[in-house]
């Protein structure tokens, strides 16, 4: 039933029966096929910096899933505000309305966060992320079996993997951390079958530093040989745990909550005791601050490993919009 509903909706947009709104600035969608984490937030931060370097003033439009009462931004929005200081953000379930608000605020380009399935806003570039460690939303069985590839509610997919053919480029994330070259190459071949001719990039999440609750940064080397507790409420807690282990830490306990969980003091009770550090993700850190927890946030950044020239060319080819053309003409006239 879920698959039939998705197929009907897709057909309505593909045939033009369902109308998509357009705004007068380039729109770049960053999305995925599954629920859960594929690394969209660090990729959005990387994309914002790339657009800014091109002289476009980027803004981020997102749904604001599970935003907390009394806050303008949800946890991902607050993390993006920290990663990209001063970036324009609007969170609205109606993405077209949110995009228009960003344009009114002066955005020269829009990053549509988690936008692949939200087709009511036209986009100039569709970038889809696929996590190498769990490409279809669920990890492989411990016995070594293939991961379940099924739509919601049986699996984690929001639409069929064949929808990758709708993307302008596919980015395989976490292409090094826990996925070996053989499995990444097999995934790349599978994607080529699903989306012939679409460029495939590889990216990885590289640990950068630790940041405590006071905002003081510490080198990652301080984790080597140290026993730590973990707490996380993200889409892919296994990847977080693997990254901390790879940094040389010994994990005593990892307390896992549902993605976007709003923390209460009792959620971290007992963690970080007896001189053991409490380590969390940068996304969780913005929520732990609200309950005055003591922690070290494991900070990462995205790095494009393969296909950098492709994404550069796609971004350079974006239409600049009427407002930007007028600004360029005015600038040329003043200099002339």
């Amino acid at each position: 039933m879920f698959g039939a509903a998705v197929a009907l909706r897709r057909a309505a947009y593909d045939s033009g029966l369902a109308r998509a709104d357009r705004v007068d600035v380039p729109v770049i969608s960053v999305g995925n096929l599954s629920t859960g984490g594929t690394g969209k937030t660090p990729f959005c931060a990387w994309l914002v910096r790339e657009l800014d370097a091109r002289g476009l003033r980027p803004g981020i439009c997102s749904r604001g899933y599970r935003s907390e009462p009394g806050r303008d931004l949800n946890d991902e929005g607050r993390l993006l505000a920290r990663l990209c200081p001063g970036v324009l953000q609007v969170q609205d379930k109606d993405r077209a309305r949110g995009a228009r608000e960003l344009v009114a605020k002066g955005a020269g380009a829009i990053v549509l966060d988690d936008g692949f399935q939200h087709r009511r806003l036209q986009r100039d570039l569709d970038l889809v992320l696929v996590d190498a460690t769990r490409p279809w939303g669920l990890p492989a069985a411990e016995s070594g079996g293939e991961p379940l590839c099924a739509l919601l509610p049986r699996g984690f997919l929001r639409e069929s993997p064949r929808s990758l053919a709708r993307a302008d480029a596919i980015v395989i994330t976490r292409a090094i951390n826990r996925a070996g070259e053989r499995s990444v190459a097999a995934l790349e071949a599978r994607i080529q079958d699903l989306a012939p001719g679409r460029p495939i990039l590889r990216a990885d999440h590289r640990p950068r530093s630790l940041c405590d609750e006071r905002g003081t940064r510490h080198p990652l080397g301080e984790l080597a040989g140290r026993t730590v507790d973990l707490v996380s409420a993200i889409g892919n807690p296994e990847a977080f745990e693997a990254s901390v282990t790879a940094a040389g830490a010994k994990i005593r306990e990892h307390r896992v909550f549902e993605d976007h969980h709003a923390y209460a003091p009792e959620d971290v009770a007992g963690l970080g005791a007896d001189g053991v550090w409490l380590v969390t993700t940068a996304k969780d850190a913005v929520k732990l601050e609200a309950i005055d927890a003591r922690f070290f946030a494991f900070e990462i950044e995205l790095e494009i490993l393969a296909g950098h020239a492709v994404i550069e060319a796609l971004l350079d080819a974006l239409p600049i919009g009427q407002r930007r053309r007028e600004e360029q003409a005015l600038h040329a006239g003043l200099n002339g």
Side-chain angles (χ1 to χ4, degrees):
M1 291 176 63
F2 181 85
V6 169
L8 285 172
R9 183 174 181 273
R10 182 176 63 245
Y13 278 103
D14 289 345
S15 65
L17 290 175
R19 185 177 65 88
D21 293 342
R22 175 170 286 281
V23 292
D24 186 43
V25 299
V27 175
I28 305 97
S29 169
V30 177
N32 58 3
L33 294 178
S34 64
T35 61
T38 55
K40 290 190 300 295
T41 300
F43 188 85
C44 283
W46 178 88
L47 190 56
V48 163
R49 290 189 287 269
E50 289 291 315
L51 292 170
D52 192 55
R54 286 165 171 75
L56 297 169
R57 188 186 182 192
I60 302 172
C61 181
S62 60
R63 179 187 174 191
Y65 182 67
R66 288 195 179 181
S67 55
E68 299 174 32
R71 287 189 177 271
D72 294 332
L73 300 172
N74 68 352
D75 49 1
E76 289 162 346
R78 281 179 276 158
L79 175 55
L80 283 166
R82 179 173 294 180
L83 295 174
C84 309
V87 68
L88 294 171
Q89 288 198 68
V90 169
Q91 295 192 330
D92 193 327
K93 292 180 181 179
D94 185 334
R95 305 299 183 89
R97 182 174 60 197
R100 289 192 293 270
E101 184 178 343
L102 279 171
V103 173
K105 290 181 175 182
I110 292 173
V111 175
L112 185 60
D113 185 14
D114 196 17
F116 193 51
Q117 288 78 32
H118 299 274
R119 298 180 64 184
R120 206 166 74 76
L121 178 64
Q122 288 191 24
R123 67 288 313 275
D124 300 281
L125 193 57
D126 245 323
L127 306 175
V128 180
L129 277 52
V130 177
D131 187 335
T133 66
R134 46 198 301 179
W136 317 124
L138 287 170
E142 292 184 3
S143 60
E146 289 294 318
L148 177 66
C149 181
L151 293 171
L152 292 165
R154 179 168 178 253
F156 277 11
L157 288 174
R158 294 187 278 188
E159 56 182 313
S160 165
R162 295 198 175 278
S163 297
L164 287 173
R166 200 171 73 242
D168 294 299
I170 296 110
V171 183
I172 299 177
T173 61
R174 298 191 177 95
I176 288 182
N177 282 349
R178 288 191 301 140
E181 174 59 30
R182 182 178 297 179
S183 64
V184 174
L187 175 59
E188 197 168 87
R190 172 64 174 149
I191 292 172
Q192 287 174 343
D193 289 339
L194 294 166
R198 296 296 186 270
I200 302 173
L201 291 74
R202 293 190 185 188
D204 196 32
H205 297 88
R206 295 295 177 90
R208 186 179 65 180
S209 60
L210 296 167
C211 185
D212 64 29
E213 72 282 353
R214 299 182 300 274
T216 303
R217 282 190 165 79
H218 305 259
L220 280 175
E222 293 188 18
L223 282 179
R226 185 182 293 274
T227 299
V228 301
D229 289 333
L230 306 183
V231 65
S232 64
I234 56 176
N236 192 342
E238 296 88 358
F240 168 50
E241 184 172 315
S243 295
V244 174
T245 301
K250 301 174 183 178
I251 299 171
R252 181 176 70 173
E253 178 181 354
H254 185 183
R255 201 169 293 179
V256 177
F257 295 91
E258 184 182 2
D259 196 9
H260 297 281
H261 176 72
Y263 286 101
E266 56 267 25
D267 292 332
V268 295
L271 296 179
D274 305 320
V276 172
W277 281 7
L278 174 60
V279 179
T280 191
T281 71
K283 176 179 171 180
D284 290 295
V286 297
K287 294 181 290 185
L288 291 175
E289 288 173 351
I291 61 170
D292 296 323
R294 298 188 64 184
F295 59 82
F296 291 85
F298 193 82
E299 297 186 318
I300 61 171
E301 61 184 3
L302 183 129
E303 180 181 349
I304 302 294
L305 303 175
H308 200 281
V310 172
I311 192 70
E312 291 275 347
L314 290 171
L315 294 177
D316 288 341
L318 287 170
I320 60 175
Q322 180 63 28
R323 174 183 293 175
R324 182 64 175 159
R325 287 192 294 271
E326 291 173 353
E327 289 175 352
Q328 288 181 344
L330 178 61
H331 181 73
L334 290 174
N335 290 338

